[in-house]
Amino acid sequence: MKTLNKVNIQGLSPNQPIGVFDSGVGGLTVAKEIKRLLPNEDLIYFGDTKHLPYGEKSKEAIVEYSTKITNFLLEQNCKAIVIACNTATANALKEVLELVASRVPVIDVINPVAEKVAYEIHTNVGVIATKATVNSGLYRKSIRKHNKFIKVDELATPLLVPAIEEGFKNHPITHAIIYNYLSNNKLKNIETLILGCTHYPLLLDEIKQYYGNRVRVIDSPNIVANQLKIILDKYHLLNEQNHTPSYHFYLSDITKNFEKISRKFFGNKISLELKVL
């Protein structure tokens, strides 16, 4: 897998933090995998909870939010930026790459997943995602760019993000929403399902329960974290110092659900800070 931007590593150090951003709690699923796979890395996370859900916003708004956050993470001296949001990737990746240029590597959450799926044994692939991600068609384009024989069906599932952000997990509300979406005819013949929003792995058990063993559900956060590791290693930016890493979380609006999930994933000593850009 190749990084999407060429990087001039002069001035970058393995000791610098990794920047991660998302519209809310969803990107924590990626950050959690980065923590597990790269236990020596410091993380700076920006959750744009004030503007969620991104999936209902215009492309122009998503580009504005994403580039402002990227600028902030660059100001925080991050050595790499992970766009841990499918909607931001689908609508603002080009603009983020132009802004960053060759300063630091940028890792998104769609292209590594699409490439991995394209080169494995898959025939009928389903994607559930926000309206903005589905409207972009980026998953279908990215997968079929590598393998034109794979059939890709995308379904917008806009009610899932608000339900997750409200803390409805293992709840009759999410059970009903999941059943309603996954029983849609568009997904009738799929053998593989991509969770095309980083919020959705928070409902992974419920989604797997719906399918049983009939459909393979792709672990996107793990694929993205592995891609990050490959790229940092390529540029000799892996932090190999055995130390206690720092995890700092900036939020445009501090919510109880974000606080609950972030502390569950990262422990009670993490720092949450309000930051309006």
Side-chain angles (χ1 to χ4, degrees), residues 1 18-20 27-39 41 43 80-84 106-113 116 198 218-234 238 266:
M1 295 179 190
I18 295 166
V20 182
L28 290 172
T29 61
V30 175
K32 179 188 176 187
E33 277 300 297
I34 295 171
K35 175 194 172 193
R36 184 189 66 80
L37 194 64
L38 302 170
E41 299 290 350
L43 293 181
I81 292 175
V82 180
I83 308 175
V106 174
I107 295 88
D108 71 88
V109 288
I110 292 181
N111 287 291
V113 176
K116 187 171 177 62
T198 51
I218 298 296
D219 184 0
S220 297
N222 178 261
I223 295 169
V224 174
N226 271 286
Q227 170 77 333
L228 171 64
K229 183 178 181 180
I230 289 167
I231 290 173
L232 291 180
D233 186 41
K234 173 185 174 182
L238 283 173
F266 289 87

Side-chain angles (χ1 to χ4, degrees), residues 79 115 135 200 267:
K79 66 181 178 186
E115 188 170 342
N135 288 342
Y200 298 174

Side-chain angles (χ1 to χ4, degrees), residues 27 33 77 101 181 188-189 198:
E33 277 300 297
N77 205 29
Y181 284 143
K188 186 176 180 182
N189 297 314
T198 51

Side-chain angles (χ1 to χ4, degrees), residues 257-275:
N257 192 43
F258 189 99
E259 189 170 357
K260 176 185 172 185
I261 294 174
S262 59
R263 294 196 190 285
K264 178 184 175 186
F265 285 176
F266 289 87
N268 290 322
K269 293 183 179 179
I270 61 168
S271 166
L272 298 178
E273 185 174 330
L274 182 66
K275 182 71 179 180

